[in-house]
Amino acid sequence: MRAWKLILTTSLVTVWLIPSSLPASATGGACPPIQSRFSLWDVETEPYQADNAADANGNGSVCSRPTKQTFIEDGETYTVYLFIDDNVPA
């Protein structure tokens, strides 16, 4: 039984470490499947700032998903988005 736990633990740790050891080009530039409603977004889009903070890999793109919330800035209504880094393996 103890050997089984060691094998399972080693397998889980190995699976967890593989994505973090891949080169950036292999882990960036893609968003989750279309069903997730995320799409590629340019972090230069104004007036948003959270998109820049989500760009962990620094490639100028993130994935965005619109929410039902809005905000008003300078009299214009904008949609609130959820941003995540575009580090989904392609």
Side-chain angles (χ1 to χ4, degrees), residues 7-80:
I7 292 170
L8 180 60
T9 302
T10 304
S11 298
L12 290 174
V13 169
T14 302
V15 169
W16 181 71
L17 290 176
I18 288 173
S20 64
S21 64
L22 292 174
S25 61
T27 61
C31 294
I34 191 78
Q35 299 88 341
S36 70
R37 296 184 34 228
F38 277 99
S39 59
L40 207 55
W41 176 279
D42 182 353
V43 299
E44 296 300 317
T45 305
E46 295 293 334
Y48 301 95
Q49 297 174 356
D51 55 353
N52 296 348
D55 190 15
N57 62 9
N59 70 348
S61 296
V62 294
C63 301
S64 67
R65 182 175 71 192
T67 68
K68 294 180 180 180
Q69 299 174 338
T70 60
F71 68 96
I72 298 173
E73 184 174 294
D74 296 329
E76 189 161 345
T77 303
Y78 295 93
T79 301
V80 174

